Amino acid sequence: MHAVLSKIAKGITVCYAEVFPNQDNEYFHLAYMGKLFLIADSYCLNPDCKCQEAVLNFVQVYPRVGKNADSFMVMFKLNGRGFKIREQGKFHRSKIKAIMMHFNAENNIQNLLYERFKEMREKANEILS
């Protein structure tokens, strides 16, 4: 948990899988147009911060032979106001928007991310107490 405390102090988001390892739902998975993505969700755990966002890092699981995995990162607003692209990687904005629409529609993701956000904040309060 020392690494988590360090990230909280530095204002760095913390991955759900880092706080709750070895769970069946550590990461999200998404199949989209023949590509498989692994999605890590991270959250701000600063108790003084009022943000309600999840940072979602999408990594294509099976890259082409001899190539690095393609990835992109978005800031997903948990209040229902959409998302903002933080890192685009090799993906076009329109492709990211299409992937996000598919991800949200398939998984009704907003409620689940909000629940994980609350779990993370509760755990942060335990750690900091």
Side-chain angles (χ1 to χ4, degrees):
M1 284 296 158
H2 176 68
V4 172
L5 281 172
S6 176
K7 287 181 178 181
I8 293 171
K10 292 177 184 175
I12 299 171
T13 60
V14 180
C15 186
Y16 183 87
E18 189 174 350
V19 176
F20 299 103
N22 303 320
Q23 302 224 3
D24 291 338
N25 59 354
E26 280 183 315
Y27 300 101
F28 296 101
H29 300 86
L30 177 69
Y32 179 78
M33 295 187 71
K35 296 179 180 176
L36 183 61
F37 291 91
L38 183 67
I39 302 124
D41 55 324
S42 299
Y43 304 89
C44 170
L45 298 183
N46 180 342
D48 297 328
C49 184
K50 301 297 181 212
C51 73
Q52 290 192 352
E53 300 170 328
V55 175
L56 304 177
N57 188 13
F58 286 71
V59 179
Q60 189 175 338
V61 177
Y62 299 110
R64 293 186 199 138
V65 176
K67 297 213 175 199
N68 291 333
D70 292 332
S71 66
F72 66 89
M73 188 181 302
V74 299
M75 180 80 75
F76 188 88
K77 298 181 184 300
L78 299 174
N79 63 4
R81 297 186 181 239
F83 66 93
K84 180 187 270 187
I85 299 170
R86 287 194 48 186
E87 292 179 20
Q88 197 167 316
K90 295 179 182 178
F91 291 86
H92 294 281
R93 296 180 73 77
S94 59
K95 180 65 92 176
I96 292 172
K97 287 179 182 180
I99 292 169
M100 287 300 297
M101 282 180 54
H102 185 72
F103 181 57
N104 196 23
E106 187 172 281
N107 297 306
N108 191 17
I109 203 66
Q110 185 170 335
N111 292 335
L112 182 54
L113 290 175
Y114 187 71
E115 288 303 314
R116 288 167 76 119
F117 169 76
K118 289 192 314 189
E119 284 180 62
M120 293 285 283
R121 285 286 174 107
E122 288 170 10
K123 192 65 166 180
N125 287 334
E126 284 178 28
I127 292 169
L128 295 171
S129 297

